[in-house]
Amino acid sequence: MTDAVGNGKMLTANEMDGRMARPREFDEAVVMDAAVQCFWARGYESTSIKDLMERTGLTAASLYNAYGDKRAMFRAALDRYIENSIRARIRSCEALPPRDAIKSFFDDILRRSLNDRERKGCLVVNSALEMAPHDVEFRETIAGALKRIETFFLACVERGQTDGTITSSQSAVGLAQHLLSVLMGVRVLARVRPERALLDGAIRTALTCLDRP
């Protein structure tokens, strides 16, 4: 495979690959964080390439060359959000005693929800409502992220049942699923009514389900 350059000389396939593989002339982490903020604030459908250009500071050509299209850029942004938000939060909590780990996870959610002045909520939950019903690829990505949270809750509950700090009167799976459901409800509710008493009440009631009789 060959292609012509300005002087008429043909490039070989290896030379073309070398051009395509050259380092990007921007900080990819900074650009991706900007894209996350853009999709997070506006949602996938309402975000335009122009919005992404304004937020990232890149031209349309640079965005397409780096990521392919808006869908691919959203996929990368969602993956980054999941890594920096959900997985990072789990890593920071899972070393704690089981009951404390669950409480710390919800405490962080409460704090973020109350400090969310733009009421952006959670990008994963927002995407679950916007895209999961009709997009198989993103439904699987979102389901995987939520499953990771459920697995974290399940591991905490099982450890707590073993050391006696969490009730064994209910199944560990059922408790983990209940905690996940409450978390999803809090995240959605916070976008409409980010009130401490309301959100804290829902969380505290969920945590009492862990108490030994």
Side-chain angles (χ1 to χ4, degrees), residues 44-116:
Y44 176 74
E45 293 295 342
S46 295
T47 297
S48 66
I49 292 298
K50 181 180 178 182
D51 295 325
L52 291 167
M53 289 167 57
E54 292 175 351
R55 189 63 83 105
T56 65
L58 297 182
T59 65
S62 294
L63 289 174
Y64 282 120
N65 287 337
Y67 300 101
D69 56 18
K70 188 180 86 166
R71 181 181 177 85
M73 194 168 192
F74 178 71
R75 186 186 304 114
L78 184 59
D79 287 344
R80 185 169 180 81
Y81 178 89
I82 291 171
E83 178 61 36
N84 291 344
S85 180
I86 294 175
R87 290 174 184 158
R89 185 179 301 119
I90 288 174
R91 284 193 295 268
S92 70
C93 294
E94 59 189 359
L96 298 172
R99 179 67 182 264
D100 293 343
I102 296 172
K103 184 176 185 303
S104 179
F105 189 98
F106 275 100
D107 284 346
D108 186 54
I109 294 296
L110 178 62
R111 178 182 61 79
R112 290 173 181 268
S113 296
L114 295 177
N115 292 334
D116 183 10

Side-chain angles (χ1 to χ4, degrees), residues 25-197:
E25 297 175 353
F26 57 84
D27 188 323
E28 188 168 4
V30 171
V31 167
M32 190 47 57
D33 285 340
V36 168
Q37 292 299 321
C38 193
F39 284 120
W40 195 359
R42 302 179 64 87
Y44 176 74
E45 293 295 342
S46 295
T47 297
S48 66
I49 292 298
K50 181 180 178 182
D51 295 325
L52 291 167
M53 289 167 57
E54 292 175 351
R55 189 63 83 105
T56 65
L58 297 182
T59 65
S62 294
L63 289 174
Y64 282 120
N65 287 337
Y67 300 101
D69 56 18
K70 188 180 86 166
R71 181 181 177 85
M73 194 168 192
F74 178 71
R75 186 186 304 114
L78 184 59
D79 287 344
R80 185 169 180 81
Y81 178 89
I82 291 171
E83 178 61 36
N84 291 344
S85 180
I86 294 175
R87 290 174 184 158
R89 185 179 301 119
I90 288 174
R91 284 193 295 268
S92 70
C93 294
E94 59 189 359
L96 298 172
R99 179 67 182 264
D100 293 343
I102 296 172
K103 184 176 185 303
S104 179
F105 189 98
F106 275 100
D107 284 346
D108 186 54
I109 294 296
L110 178 62
R111 178 182 61 79
R112 290 173 181 268
S113 296
L114 295 177
N115 292 334
D116 183 10
R117 297 186 182 278
E118 298 177 16
R119 300 190 181 187
K120 298 193 304 294
C122 169
L123 181 58
V124 170
V125 177
N126 298 348
S127 300
L129 297 173
E130 179 185 8
M131 303 185 70
H134 56 80
D135 192 305
V136 174
E137 178 189 356
F138 284 111
R139 180 164 66 240
E140 292 176 352
T141 298
I142 294 162
L146 298 184
K147 185 64 177 180
R148 180 69 184 84
I149 298 173
E150 182 184 348
T151 299
F152 162 72
F153 285 146
L154 178 59
C156 290
V157 171
E158 288 176 338
R159 287 194 294 124
Q161 289 180 336
T162 297
D163 67 19
T165 58
I166 292 177
T167 181
S168 295
S169 63
Q170 301 183 58
S171 74
V173 171
L175 287 172
Q177 292 171 341
H178 177 64
L179 291 172
L180 178 64
S181 299
V182 172
L183 173 65
M184 296 299 98
V186 166
R187 279 308 226 170
V188 174
L189 190 58
R191 297 197 67 183
V192 183
R193 294 178 58 189
E195 305 161 15
R196 178 178 290 277

